[in-house]
Amino acid sequence: MTAPSSTGQDHHRAGFACFVGRPNAGKSTLTNALVGTKVAITSTRPQTTRHTVRGIVHRPDGQLVLVDTPGLHKPRTLLGERLNDVVRTTWAEVDVIGFCLPADQKIGPGDRFIAGELAGIKKTPKVAVVTKTDLVDSERLAEQLLAVDRLGKELGLEWAEIVPVSAVAESQLGLLADLLVPLLPEGPELYPEGHLTDEPEQVMVAELIREAALEGVRDELPHSIAVVVEEMQPRPDRPADRPLLDVHANIYIERPSQKGIVIGPKGARLKAVGTTSRKHIEALLGTPVFLDLHVKVAKDWQRDPKQLRRLGF
């Protein structure tokens, strides 16, 4: 038995939780809602998360570090295989897993596939999180909660908790955190107060640009867009009370034919991407930003190991 600490931290808990689920199950939106700010990119298109983003929830009784993974899916490219590897590695390293199942969609083969994989991870506690409850009535929600309970029993998967939430309506988010924190190990804070994510700023800026680029483009494009921030530095010779951050970034697509889609007629689409992402970047970094965007072709980058490395995967 170790002696109780004199810091008042003896019952404080700190650890890592990750949300898993098929693409577009609401994992990133939930991460952002719990942290209280935008740390993971969200999009109406599946498969938008590519980096493991950590959001940090600070509470008096504990610190919950949320690891946001890509959705597990049947891979069709080398990029897809790498994303699945990221998911499985993350599952093996966290203290608790939250499995997100949308309230407005029946449990399908994709959910069963993930639940089957989770059943193989014996020691880590698993919480079933029924998301998007704002989209259904109470009867449909009750059906989904029972279906999730049955899914666990069928696969020998024991849920530590089953909790319905809505990130959009901010419903039961506090309860979810209340249920996750006791499942973490006892220990001091892992990150200083005030830290909301440990992602490098440059990676987050690239993700915000990619999110803006994904909105409103045709269905075939989400997987084809990658963003690399080439340079990010304060503009010299600016007065201290009027700083300006210069951000130069390239948006990469796979084929020349996709260039026009991203740029839009007379550059209107690219301009809109710049305006939207600049607002989010300024909010994230707390400083005015000059954003310089260029669209470039990196032929079939999703299937090319060398290009994947260069683009940060």
Side-chain angles (χ1 to χ4, degrees), residues 245-307:
L245 186 72
D246 285 321
V247 177
H248 299 277
N250 290 329
I251 298 173
Y252 288 96
I253 34 98
E254 292 194 294
R255 295 188 295 282
S257 60
Q258 296 170 334
K259 209 168 178 176
I261 299 171
V262 176
I263 294 171
K266 295 185 178 169
R269 172 112 205 87
L270 186 62
K271 193 177 176 187
V273 169
T275 305
T276 304
S277 55
R278 184 172 51 78
K279 280 182 195 155
H280 288 309
I281 295 163
E282 289 180 339
L284 173 75
L285 303 178
T287 184
V289 165
F290 171 78
L291 181 58
D292 177 41
L293 290 180
H294 294 274
V295 181
K296 298 192 170 186
V297 178
K299 197 170 179 324
D300 293 332
W301 64 263
Q302 289 189 74
R303 291 173 172 78
D304 180 344
K306 203 185 278 179
Q307 299 217 67

Short mmCIF file of all heavy atoms in Angstrom, two decimals, residues 245-307:
data_model
loop_
_atom_site.label_atom_id
_atom_site.label_comp_id
_atom_site.label_asym_id
_atom_site.label_seq_id
_atom_site.Cartn_x
_atom_site.Cartn_y
_atom_site.Cartn_z
N LEU A 245 -0.12 36.62 -38.53
CA LEU A 245 0.54 35.33 -38.75
C LEU A 245 0.37 34.94 -40.22
O LEU A 245 -0.74 34.87 -40.73
CB LEU A 245 -0.09 34.26 -37.85
CG LEU A 245 0.58 32.88 -37.86
CD1 LEU A 245 1.93 32.92 -37.15
CD2 LEU A 245 -0.32 31.84 -37.21
N ASP A 246 1.49 34.71 -40.91
CA ASP A 246 1.43 34.25 -42.29
C ASP A 246 1.37 32.72 -42.33
O ASP A 246 2.24 32.04 -41.78
CB ASP A 246 2.68 34.72 -43.05
CG ASP A 246 2.61 36.20 -43.39
OD1 ASP A 246 1.52 36.68 -43.74
OD2 ASP A 246 3.64 36.90 -43.28
N VAL A 247 0.33 32.19 -42.98
CA VAL A 247 0.18 30.74 -43.11
C VAL A 247 0.14 30.40 -44.60
O VAL A 247 -0.73 30.88 -45.33
CB VAL A 247 -1.12 30.23 -42.43
CG1 VAL A 247 -1.29 28.73 -42.64
CG2 VAL A 247 -1.11 30.56 -40.94
N HIS A 248 1.10 29.60 -45.05
CA HIS A 248 1.15 29.15 -46.45
C HIS A 248 0.86 27.65 -46.47
O HIS A 248 1.55 26.88 -45.80
CB HIS A 248 2.52 29.44 -47.08
CG HIS A 248 2.86 30.90 -47.08
ND1 HIS A 248 2.41 31.76 -48.05
CD2 HIS A 248 3.58 31.65 -46.20
CE1 HIS A 248 2.84 32.99 -47.78
NE2 HIS A 248 3.55 32.95 -46.67
N ALA A 249 -0.19 27.25 -47.20
CA ALA A 249 -0.59 25.84 -47.19
C ALA A 249 -0.93 25.36 -48.59
O ALA A 249 -1.40 26.13 -49.43
CB ALA A 249 -1.78 25.64 -46.27
N ASN A 250 -0.68 24.08 -48.84
CA ASN A 250 -1.03 23.45 -50.11
C ASN A 250 -2.16 22.44 -49.88
O ASN A 250 -2.11 21.64 -48.95
CB ASN A 250 0.17 22.72 -50.71
CG ASN A 250 1.22 23.70 -51.21
OD1 ASN A 250 0.90 24.80 -51.64
ND2 ASN A 250 2.49 23.30 -51.13
N ILE A 251 -3.17 22.52 -50.74
CA ILE A 251 -4.24 21.51 -50.74
C ILE A 251 -3.90 20.53 -51.87
O ILE A 251 -3.81 20.92 -53.03
CB ILE A 251 -5.61 22.16 -51.01
CG1 ILE A 251 -5.96 23.16 -49.90
CG2 ILE A 251 -6.71 21.09 -51.12
CD1 ILE A 251 -7.22 23.98 -50.17
N TYR A 252 -3.69 19.26 -51.50
CA TYR A 252 -3.32 18.25 -52.51
C TYR A 252 -4.53 17.41 -52.89
O TYR A 252 -5.29 16.96 -52.03
CB TYR A 252 -2.23 17.33 -51.95
CG TYR A 252 -0.88 18.00 -51.84
CD1 TYR A 252 -0.46 18.56 -50.64
CD2 TYR A 252 -0.04 18.08 -52.95
CE1 TYR A 252 0.77 19.18 -50.53
CE2 TYR A 252 1.20 18.70 -52.84
CZ TYR A 252 1.60 19.25 -51.64
OH TYR A 252 2.81 19.87 -51.55
N ILE A 253 -4.69 17.22 -54.22
CA ILE A 253 -5.70 16.29 -54.72
C ILE A 253 -4.98 15.27 -55.60
O ILE A 253 -3.79 15.41 -55.87
CB ILE A 253 -6.84 17.02 -55.49
CG1 ILE A 253 -6.33 18.23 -56.25
CG2 ILE A 253 -7.84 17.61 -54.52
CD1 ILE A 253 -6.03 18.21 -57.55
N GLU A 254 -5.71 14.23 -56.04
CA GLU A 254 -5.04 13.11 -56.72
C GLU A 254 -4.99 13.24 -58.23
O GLU A 254 -4.12 12.66 -58.87
CB GLU A 254 -5.75 11.79 -56.37
CG GLU A 254 -5.57 11.39 -54.93
CD GLU A 254 -5.98 9.94 -54.69
OE1 GLU A 254 -7.17 9.64 -54.82
OE2 GLU A 254 -5.10 9.14 -54.40
N ARG A 255 -5.96 13.98 -58.83
CA ARG A 255 -6.02 14.03 -60.29
C ARG A 255 -6.23 15.47 -60.76
O ARG A 255 -6.94 16.24 -60.10
CB ARG A 255 -7.16 13.15 -60.81
CG ARG A 255 -6.96 11.67 -60.52
CD ARG A 255 -8.02 10.82 -61.21
NE ARG A 255 -9.37 11.05 -60.72
CZ ARG A 255 -9.84 10.56 -59.60
NH1 ARG A 255 -9.07 9.80 -58.83
NH2 ARG A 255 -11.08 10.80 -59.22
N PRO A 256 -5.67 15.84 -61.91
CA PRO A 256 -5.85 17.19 -62.43
C PRO A 256 -7.33 17.57 -62.57
O PRO A 256 -7.70 18.71 -62.36
CB PRO A 256 -5.16 17.15 -63.80
CG PRO A 256 -4.16 16.04 -63.70
CD PRO A 256 -4.77 15.03 -62.77
N SER A 257 -8.18 16.57 -62.89
CA SER A 257 -9.61 16.86 -63.09
C SER A 257 -10.28 17.34 -61.80
O SER A 257 -11.34 17.96 -61.84
CB SER A 257 -10.34 15.61 -63.61
OG SER A 257 -10.20 14.56 -62.66
N GLN A 258 -9.68 17.03 -60.64
CA GLN A 258 -10.28 17.43 -59.36
C GLN A 258 -9.95 18.87 -59.00
O GLN A 258 -10.58 19.47 -58.13
CB GLN A 258 -9.79 16.51 -58.24
CG GLN A 258 -10.22 15.07 -58.43
CD GLN A 258 -9.52 14.14 -57.45
OE1 GLN A 258 -8.42 14.41 -56.98
NE2 GLN A 258 -10.16 13.02 -57.16
N LYS A 259 -8.94 19.42 -59.68
CA LYS A 259 -8.47 20.76 -59.35
C LYS A 259 -9.58 21.81 -59.49
O LYS A 259 -9.80 22.64 -58.61
CB LYS A 259 -7.26 21.12 -60.24
CG LYS A 259 -6.29 22.07 -59.60
CD LYS A 259 -5.00 22.14 -60.41
CE LYS A 259 -4.05 23.14 -59.76
NZ LYS A 259 -2.76 23.20 -60.43
N GLY A 260 -10.30 21.71 -60.61
CA GLY A 260 -11.38 22.66 -60.88
C GLY A 260 -12.49 22.60 -59.84
O GLY A 260 -13.11 23.62 -59.51
N ILE A 261 -12.73 21.38 -59.31
CA ILE A 261 -13.79 21.22 -58.30
C ILE A 261 -13.43 21.99 -57.04
O ILE A 261 -14.25 22.68 -56.45
CB ILE A 261 -14.00 19.71 -57.97
CG1 ILE A 261 -14.44 18.95 -59.22
CG2 ILE A 261 -15.04 19.54 -56.86
CD1 ILE A 261 -14.46 17.44 -59.05
N VAL A 262 -12.16 21.87 -56.62
CA VAL A 262 -11.72 22.52 -55.38
C VAL A 262 -11.61 24.04 -55.57
O VAL A 262 -11.96 24.82 -54.69
CB VAL A 262 -10.36 21.94 -54.91
CG1 VAL A 262 -9.85 22.67 -53.67
CG2 VAL A 262 -10.52 20.45 -54.59
N ILE A 263 -11.13 24.46 -56.75
CA ILE A 263 -10.94 25.90 -56.99
C ILE A 263 -12.28 26.59 -57.27
O ILE A 263 -12.53 27.70 -56.80
CB ILE A 263 -9.94 26.14 -58.14
CG1 ILE A 263 -8.55 25.66 -57.72
CG2 ILE A 263 -9.90 27.61 -58.54
CD1 ILE A 263 -7.51 25.64 -58.83
N GLY A 264 -13.17 25.91 -58.02
CA GLY A 264 -14.49 26.47 -58.31
C GLY A 264 -14.44 27.50 -59.43
O GLY A 264 -13.37 27.95 -59.84
N PRO A 265 -15.62 27.93 -59.93
CA PRO A 265 -15.67 28.91 -61.02
C PRO A 265 -15.03 30.23 -60.58
O PRO A 265 -15.38 30.77 -59.53
CB PRO A 265 -17.17 29.10 -61.28
CG PRO A 265 -17.87 28.02 -60.52
CD PRO A 265 -16.95 27.54 -59.46
N LYS A 266 -14.08 30.70 -61.37
CA LYS A 266 -13.35 31.95 -61.09
C LYS A 266 -12.74 31.98 -59.67
O LYS A 266 -12.63 33.03 -59.05
CB LYS A 266 -14.27 33.16 -61.27
CG LYS A 266 -14.73 33.34 -62.70
CD LYS A 266 -15.53 34.61 -62.87
CE LYS A 266 -15.93 34.78 -64.34
NZ LYS A 266 -16.93 35.85 -64.50
N GLY A 267 -12.39 30.79 -59.17
CA GLY A 267 -11.71 30.71 -57.87
C GLY A 267 -12.62 30.91 -56.66
O GLY A 267 -12.17 31.00 -55.52
N ALA A 268 -13.95 30.91 -56.90
CA ALA A 268 -14.91 31.21 -55.82
C ALA A 268 -14.87 30.18 -54.69
O ALA A 268 -14.92 30.52 -53.51
CB ALA A 268 -16.32 31.30 -56.39
N ARG A 269 -14.74 28.91 -55.07
CA ARG A 269 -14.77 27.84 -54.07
C ARG A 269 -13.54 27.94 -53.15
O ARG A 269 -13.62 27.86 -51.93
CB ARG A 269 -14.83 26.54 -54.85
CG ARG A 269 -14.70 25.32 -54.13
CD ARG A 269 -15.88 24.40 -54.01
NE ARG A 269 -15.65 23.65 -52.82
CZ ARG A 269 -16.01 24.06 -51.63
NH1 ARG A 269 -16.67 25.15 -51.47
NH2 ARG A 269 -15.72 23.37 -50.58
N LEU A 270 -12.36 28.12 -53.77
CA LEU A 270 -11.12 28.20 -52.99
C LEU A 270 -11.15 29.43 -52.06
O LEU A 270 -10.69 29.38 -50.93
CB LEU A 270 -9.91 28.27 -53.92
CG LEU A 270 -8.54 28.20 -53.24
CD1 LEU A 270 -8.35 26.89 -52.49
CD2 LEU A 270 -7.41 28.36 -54.27
N LYS A 271 -11.73 30.51 -52.57
CA LYS A 271 -11.84 31.73 -51.76
C LYS A 271 -12.70 31.47 -50.52
O LYS A 271 -12.37 31.89 -49.41
CB LYS A 271 -12.44 32.86 -52.61
CG LYS A 271 -12.32 34.23 -51.98
CD LYS A 271 -12.86 35.32 -52.89
CE LYS A 271 -12.80 36.67 -52.17
NZ LYS A 271 -13.46 37.72 -52.94
N ALA A 272 -13.81 30.75 -50.74
CA ALA A 272 -14.71 30.42 -49.62
C ALA A 272 -13.99 29.52 -48.60
O ALA A 272 -14.14 29.68 -47.39
CB ALA A 272 -15.96 29.73 -50.14
N VAL A 273 -13.20 28.57 -49.10
CA VAL A 273 -12.42 27.68 -48.22
C VAL A 273 -11.47 28.52 -47.36
O VAL A 273 -11.35 28.33 -46.14
CB VAL A 273 -11.61 26.64 -49.05
CG1 VAL A 273 -10.61 25.90 -48.18
CG2 VAL A 273 -12.56 25.66 -49.74
N GLY A 274 -10.81 29.50 -48.01
CA GLY A 274 -9.88 30.38 -47.30
C GLY A 274 -10.57 31.20 -46.23
O GLY A 274 -10.10 31.29 -45.09
N THR A 275 -11.71 31.78 -46.57
CA THR A 275 -12.45 32.64 -45.62
C THR A 275 -12.91 31.84 -44.40
O THR A 275 -12.71 32.24 -43.26
CB THR A 275 -13.68 33.27 -46.32
OG1 THR A 275 -13.23 33.96 -47.48
CG2 THR A 275 -14.38 34.24 -45.40
N THR A 276 -13.51 30.66 -44.66
CA THR A 276 -14.02 29.82 -43.57
C THR A 276 -12.89 29.34 -42.67
O THR A 276 -12.97 29.46 -41.44
CB THR A 276 -14.77 28.59 -44.15
OG1 THR A 276 -15.79 29.06 -45.02
CG2 THR A 276 -15.39 27.75 -43.05
N SER A 277 -11.85 28.77 -43.28
CA SER A 277 -10.78 28.20 -42.45
C SER A 277 -10.01 29.28 -41.71
O SER A 277 -9.59 29.09 -40.58
CB SER A 277 -9.84 27.32 -43.29
OG SER A 277 -9.33 28.02 -44.39
N ARG A 278 -9.86 30.45 -42.33
CA ARG A 278 -9.11 31.54 -41.66
C ARG A 278 -9.81 31.94 -40.35
O ARG A 278 -9.16 32.13 -39.33
CB ARG A 278 -8.97 32.74 -42.59
CG ARG A 278 -8.12 33.88 -41.99
CD ARG A 278 -7.84 34.96 -43.02
NE ARG A 278 -9.05 35.44 -43.70
CZ ARG A 278 -9.93 36.29 -43.15
NH1 ARG A 278 -9.75 36.76 -41.95
NH2 ARG A 278 -10.99 36.67 -43.84
N LYS A 279 -11.15 32.03 -40.40
CA LYS A 279 -11.90 32.38 -39.17
C LYS A 279 -11.62 31.37 -38.06
O LYS A 279 -11.39 31.72 -36.91
CB LYS A 279 -13.41 32.40 -39.46
CG LYS A 279 -13.87 33.68 -40.13
CD LYS A 279 -15.38 33.64 -40.33
CE LYS A 279 -15.82 34.74 -41.30
NZ LYS A 279 -17.08 34.40 -41.97
N HIS A 280 -11.66 30.08 -38.40
CA HIS A 280 -11.42 29.02 -37.40
C HIS A 280 -9.97 29.05 -36.90
O HIS A 280 -9.72 28.82 -35.72
CB HIS A 280 -11.76 27.65 -37.98
CG HIS A 280 -13.23 27.42 -38.16
ND1 HIS A 280 -14.15 27.63 -37.15
CD2 HIS A 280 -13.94 27.01 -39.23
CE1 HIS A 280 -15.36 27.35 -37.59
NE2 HIS A 280 -15.27 26.97 -38.85
N ILE A 281 -9.04 29.31 -37.81
CA ILE A 281 -7.62 29.35 -37.42
C ILE A 281 -7.37 30.53 -36.47
O ILE A 281 -6.67 30.40 -35.46
CB ILE A 281 -6.69 29.46 -38.67
CG1 ILE A 281 -6.80 28.18 -39.53
CG2 ILE A 281 -5.23 29.67 -38.25
CD1 ILE A 281 -6.27 28.33 -40.94
N GLU A 282 -7.98 31.67 -36.79
CA GLU A 282 -7.82 32.85 -35.92
C GLU A 282 -8.42 32.58 -34.54
O GLU A 282 -7.86 32.97 -33.52
CB GLU A 282 -8.48 34.08 -36.56
CG GLU A 282 -7.70 34.58 -37.77
CD GLU A 282 -8.30 35.80 -38.45
OE1 GLU A 282 -9.52 36.05 -38.27
OE2 GLU A 282 -7.57 36.49 -39.17
N ALA A 283 -9.56 31.89 -34.51
CA ALA A 283 -10.19 31.56 -33.22
C ALA A 283 -9.31 30.59 -32.43
O ALA A 283 -9.16 30.71 -31.21
CB ALA A 283 -11.57 30.95 -33.45
N LEU A 284 -8.70 29.63 -33.14
CA LEU A 284 -7.84 28.63 -32.49
C LEU A 284 -6.57 29.26 -31.92
O LEU A 284 -6.18 29.00 -30.78
CB LEU A 284 -7.46 27.54 -33.51
CG LEU A 284 -6.42 26.51 -33.06
CD1 LEU A 284 -7.05 25.51 -32.10
CD2 LEU A 284 -5.83 25.77 -34.25
N LEU A 285 -5.93 30.13 -32.72
CA LEU A 285 -4.62 30.66 -32.33
C LEU A 285 -4.70 32.03 -31.64
O LEU A 285 -3.72 32.50 -31.07
CB LEU A 285 -3.71 30.77 -33.57
CG LEU A 285 -3.49 29.47 -34.35
CD1 LEU A 285 -2.63 29.72 -35.57
CD2 LEU A 285 -2.85 28.40 -33.47
N GLY A 286 -5.88 32.66 -31.73
CA GLY A 286 -6.05 33.95 -31.06
C GLY A 286 -5.25 35.08 -31.67
O GLY A 286 -4.81 35.99 -30.97
N THR A 287 -5.04 35.02 -32.98
CA THR A 287 -4.27 36.09 -33.65
C THR A 287 -4.76 36.26 -35.09
O THR A 287 -5.23 35.29 -35.69
CB THR A 287 -2.75 35.75 -33.65
OG1 THR A 287 -2.03 36.83 -34.22
CG2 THR A 287 -2.44 34.50 -34.44
N PRO A 288 -4.70 37.48 -35.66
CA PRO A 288 -5.08 37.65 -37.07
C PRO A 288 -4.16 36.83 -37.98
O PRO A 288 -2.96 36.69 -37.70
CB PRO A 288 -4.90 39.15 -37.31
CG PRO A 288 -4.93 39.78 -35.96
CD PRO A 288 -4.34 38.76 -35.02
N VAL A 289 -4.75 36.31 -39.06
CA VAL A 289 -4.01 35.40 -39.94
C VAL A 289 -4.12 35.86 -41.39
O VAL A 289 -5.20 36.26 -41.84
CB VAL A 289 -4.58 33.96 -39.79
CG1 VAL A 289 -4.12 33.05 -40.93
CG2 VAL A 289 -4.19 33.37 -38.44
N PHE A 290 -2.99 35.80 -42.11
CA PHE A 290 -3.01 35.92 -43.57
C PHE A 290 -2.83 34.51 -44.12
O PHE A 290 -1.82 33.86 -43.85
CB PHE A 290 -1.89 36.84 -44.08
CG PHE A 290 -1.74 36.81 -45.58
CD1 PHE A 290 -2.60 37.52 -46.40
CD2 PHE A 290 -0.74 36.02 -46.18
CE1 PHE A 290 -2.48 37.46 -47.79
CE2 PHE A 290 -0.61 35.97 -47.56
CZ PHE A 290 -1.49 36.69 -48.36
N LEU A 291 -3.83 34.02 -44.87
CA LEU A 291 -3.80 32.63 -45.33
C LEU A 291 -3.59 32.59 -46.83
O LEU A 291 -4.35 33.15 -47.60
CB LEU A 291 -5.12 31.95 -44.95
CG LEU A 291 -5.28 30.47 -45.33
CD1 LEU A 291 -4.20 29.61 -44.71
CD2 LEU A 291 -6.67 29.97 -44.90
N ASP A 292 -2.55 31.88 -47.25
CA ASP A 292 -2.20 31.74 -48.66
C ASP A 292 -2.39 30.27 -49.05
O ASP A 292 -1.66 29.39 -48.56
CB ASP A 292 -0.74 32.18 -48.85
CG ASP A 292 -0.26 31.99 -50.28
OD1 ASP A 292 -1.05 32.28 -51.20
OD2 ASP A 292 0.90 31.55 -50.47
N LEU A 293 -3.38 29.99 -49.90
CA LEU A 293 -3.71 28.60 -50.26
C LEU A 293 -3.40 28.31 -51.73
O LEU A 293 -3.69 29.13 -52.60
CB LEU A 293 -5.21 28.33 -50.04
CG LEU A 293 -5.73 28.27 -48.60
CD1 LEU A 293 -7.24 27.99 -48.63
CD2 LEU A 293 -5.01 27.20 -47.80
N HIS A 294 -2.83 27.14 -51.99
CA HIS A 294 -2.59 26.69 -53.36
C HIS A 294 -3.09 25.25 -53.52
O HIS A 294 -2.99 24.46 -52.58
CB HIS A 294 -1.10 26.75 -53.70
CG HIS A 294 -0.57 28.15 -53.72
ND1 HIS A 294 -0.64 28.96 -54.84
CD2 HIS A 294 0.00 28.90 -52.75
CE1 HIS A 294 -0.12 30.15 -54.55
NE2 HIS A 294 0.27 30.14 -53.28
N VAL A 295 -3.63 24.94 -54.69
CA VAL A 295 -4.11 23.58 -54.96
C VAL A 295 -3.10 22.88 -55.86
O VAL A 295 -2.74 23.39 -56.92
CB VAL A 295 -5.50 23.59 -55.63
CG1 VAL A 295 -6.00 22.17 -55.88
CG2 VAL A 295 -6.50 24.35 -54.76
N LYS A 296 -2.64 21.70 -55.44
CA LYS A 296 -1.63 20.96 -56.22
C LYS A 296 -2.07 19.51 -56.42
O LYS A 296 -2.82 18.96 -55.61
CB LYS A 296 -0.28 20.99 -55.50
CG LYS A 296 0.26 22.41 -55.34
CD LYS A 296 1.70 22.39 -54.90
CE LYS A 296 2.29 23.81 -54.99
NZ LYS A 296 3.72 23.83 -54.71
N VAL A 297 -1.56 18.91 -57.48
CA VAL A 297 -1.87 17.50 -57.77
C VAL A 297 -0.74 16.61 -57.26
O VAL A 297 0.43 16.85 -57.57
CB VAL A 297 -2.07 17.27 -59.29
CG1 VAL A 297 -2.35 15.80 -59.58
CG2 VAL A 297 -3.20 18.16 -59.82
N ALA A 298 -1.09 15.61 -56.44
CA ALA A 298 -0.12 14.57 -56.05
C ALA A 298 -0.75 13.26 -56.52
O ALA A 298 -1.61 12.69 -55.85
CB ALA A 298 0.08 14.58 -54.54
N LYS A 299 -0.33 12.81 -57.67
CA LYS A 299 -1.02 11.72 -58.39
C LYS A 299 -1.17 10.45 -57.52
O LYS A 299 -0.19 9.93 -56.99
CB LYS A 299 -0.25 11.40 -59.67
CG LYS A 299 -1.06 10.60 -60.67
CD LYS A 299 -0.29 10.55 -62.00
CE LYS A 299 -0.99 9.77 -63.08
NZ LYS A 299 -1.74 8.62 -62.71
N ASP A 300 -2.45 10.00 -57.38
CA ASP A 300 -2.77 8.75 -56.64
C ASP A 300 -2.04 8.64 -55.30
O ASP A 300 -1.56 7.57 -54.94
CB ASP A 300 -2.43 7.52 -57.52
CG ASP A 300 -3.36 7.43 -58.72
OD1 ASP A 300 -4.50 7.92 -58.62
OD2 ASP A 300 -2.94 6.89 -59.75
N TRP A 301 -1.98 9.73 -54.54
CA TRP A 301 -1.18 9.72 -53.31
C TRP A 301 -1.65 8.71 -52.27
O TRP A 301 -0.87 8.21 -51.47
CB TRP A 301 -1.10 11.12 -52.70
CG TRP A 301 -2.40 11.72 -52.22
CD1 TRP A 301 -3.20 12.59 -52.90
CD2 TRP A 301 -3.03 11.54 -50.95
NE1 TRP A 301 -4.30 12.93 -52.16
CE2 TRP A 301 -4.22 12.30 -50.95
CE3 TRP A 301 -2.71 10.78 -49.81
CZ2 TRP A 301 -5.09 12.33 -49.86
CZ3 TRP A 301 -3.58 10.82 -48.73
CH2 TRP A 301 -4.75 11.59 -48.76
N GLN A 302 -2.96 8.35 -52.33
CA GLN A 302 -3.47 7.41 -51.32
C GLN A 302 -2.88 6.01 -51.46
O GLN A 302 -2.93 5.22 -50.51
CB GLN A 302 -4.99 7.30 -51.43
CG GLN A 302 -5.73 8.53 -50.97
CD GLN A 302 -7.21 8.23 -50.93
OE1 GLN A 302 -7.69 7.53 -50.05
NE2 GLN A 302 -7.95 8.75 -51.89
N ARG A 303 -2.34 5.71 -52.65
CA ARG A 303 -1.82 4.36 -52.89
C ARG A 303 -0.29 4.32 -52.93
O ARG A 303 0.30 3.28 -53.16
CB ARG A 303 -2.37 3.82 -54.23
CG ARG A 303 -3.85 3.53 -54.16
CD ARG A 303 -4.44 3.17 -55.51
NE ARG A 303 -5.81 2.73 -55.37
CZ ARG A 303 -6.84 3.56 -55.19
NH1 ARG A 303 -6.64 4.87 -55.15
NH2 ARG A 303 -8.06 3.10 -55.05
N ASP A 304 0.34 5.46 -52.69
CA ASP A 304 1.79 5.57 -52.87
C ASP A 304 2.47 5.79 -51.50
O ASP A 304 2.32 6.86 -50.90
CB ASP A 304 2.06 6.77 -53.80
CG ASP A 304 3.54 7.00 -54.06
OD1 ASP A 304 4.37 6.45 -53.32
OD2 ASP A 304 3.86 7.72 -55.02
N PRO A 305 3.19 4.77 -50.99
CA PRO A 305 3.79 4.87 -49.65
C PRO A 305 4.67 6.12 -49.48
O PRO A 305 4.64 6.77 -48.44
CB PRO A 305 4.64 3.60 -49.53
CG PRO A 305 4.10 2.66 -50.55
CD PRO A 305 3.51 3.49 -51.65
N LYS A 306 5.43 6.45 -50.54
CA LYS A 306 6.34 7.60 -50.44
C LYS A 306 5.54 8.91 -50.27
O LYS A 306 5.85 9.75 -49.41
CB LYS A 306 7.21 7.67 -51.70
CG LYS A 306 8.52 8.43 -51.46
CD LYS A 306 9.31 8.61 -52.74
CE LYS A 306 10.12 7.35 -53.06
NZ LYS A 306 10.89 7.50 -54.32
N GLN A 307 4.48 9.06 -51.06
CA GLN A 307 3.66 10.28 -50.97
C GLN A 307 2.89 10.32 -49.66
O GLN A 307 2.71 11.39 -49.07
CB GLN A 307 2.70 10.36 -52.16
CG GLN A 307 3.42 10.42 -53.49
CD GLN A 307 2.70 11.35 -54.46
OE1 GLN A 307 2.65 12.54 -54.27
NE2 GLN A 307 2.12 10.76 -55.51
#
